[in-house]
């Protein structure tokens, strides 16, 4: 039986994936598929973007599988590394926006990733709870402990 933080992680991670894919689809529509006069917008840009969205989805579903269904600590480590890369990139882009405009950029393409990073921090917190640690080490909870936590 899965510990409670792992069950919460599985559910909230799927919700986060849906929101992240929705945000990516919105940005593809907003910046790439609208008619504009940019010569950089070739016909393959949306295709390449959707391929990246598919890779993002596959990677996140694999990470979720290796945390929820077949517990592996390496999945948590990969998730942490991707979170750190995302935070570093967001910090870099925010710094660029501040440097260029001399003000904090409040555009949706800066706010949505910040909310996504906050959600990922919450998911990481669930993975570092003591019962989740035991789950990722491959230890199963005592049946009496599982029964006790069920009726609390």
């Amino acid at each position: 039986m899965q510990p409670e933080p792992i069950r919460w992680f599985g559910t909230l991670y799927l919700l986060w994936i849906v929101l992240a894919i929705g945000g990516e689809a919105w940005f593809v529509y907003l910046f790439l598929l609208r008619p504009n006069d940019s010569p950089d917008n070739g016909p393959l840009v949306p295709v390449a973007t959707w391929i990246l969205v598919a890779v993002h989805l596959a990677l996140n579903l694999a990470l979720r599988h290796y945390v929820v269904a077949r517990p592996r600590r390496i999945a948590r480590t990969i998730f942490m590394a991707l979170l750190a890369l995302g935070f570093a990139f967001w910090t870099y882009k925010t710094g660029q926006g501040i440097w260029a405009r001399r003000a904090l950029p409040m555009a949706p393409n800066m706010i949505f990733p910040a909310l996504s990073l906050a959600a990922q921090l919450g998911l990481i917190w669930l993975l570092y709870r003591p019962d989740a640690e035991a789950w990722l080490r491959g230890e199963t909870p005592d049946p009496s402990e599982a029964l006790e936590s069920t009726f609390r």
Side-chain angles (χ1 to χ4, degrees), residues 2-147:
Q2 295 175 337
E4 190 174 349
I6 296 297
R7 289 193 305 265
W8 273 102
F9 175 85
T11 304
L12 294 175
Y13 197 60
L14 283 178
L15 178 64
W16 174 79
I17 289 172
V18 167
L19 292 176
I21 298 294
E24 288 174 354
W26 181 63
F27 287 128
V28 166
Y29 168 75
L30 195 63
F31 295 113
L32 298 177
L33 298 181
R34 283 191 318 178
N36 59 18
D37 54 355
S38 172
D40 300 342
N41 245 357
L44 293 180
V45 171
V47 173
T49 304
W50 287 114
I51 289 171
L52 289 175
V53 168
V55 168
H56 176 231
L57 179 65
L59 175 67
N60 280 298
L61 288 176
L63 283 174
R64 182 189 179 276
H65 174 74
Y66 283 110
V67 168
V68 175
R70 299 184 66 200
R72 301 285 187 266
R73 283 189 289 183
I74 189 70
R76 180 181 63 187
T77 305
I78 292 170
F79 186 65
M80 280 284 291
L82 292 174
L83 173 63
L85 285 172
F87 183 74
F89 182 72
W90 180 80
T91 304
Y92 171 73
K93 293 302 277 183
T94 302
Q96 272 187 331
I98 291 171
W99 182 261
R101 294 181 195 89
R102 301 286 189 246
L104 186 63
M106 297 302 286
N109 63 341
M110 295 306 293
I111 294 172
F112 186 80
L115 294 174
S116 180
L117 288 170
Q120 289 177 23
L121 283 172
L123 290 169
I124 286 292
W125 175 75
L126 287 173
L127 291 181
Y128 277 96
R129 302 259 319 255
D131 41 356
E133 285 269 350
W135 172 261
L136 290 171
R137 281 193 307 267
E139 300 170 6
T140 56
D142 230 3
S144 61
E145 290 176 14
L147 189 61

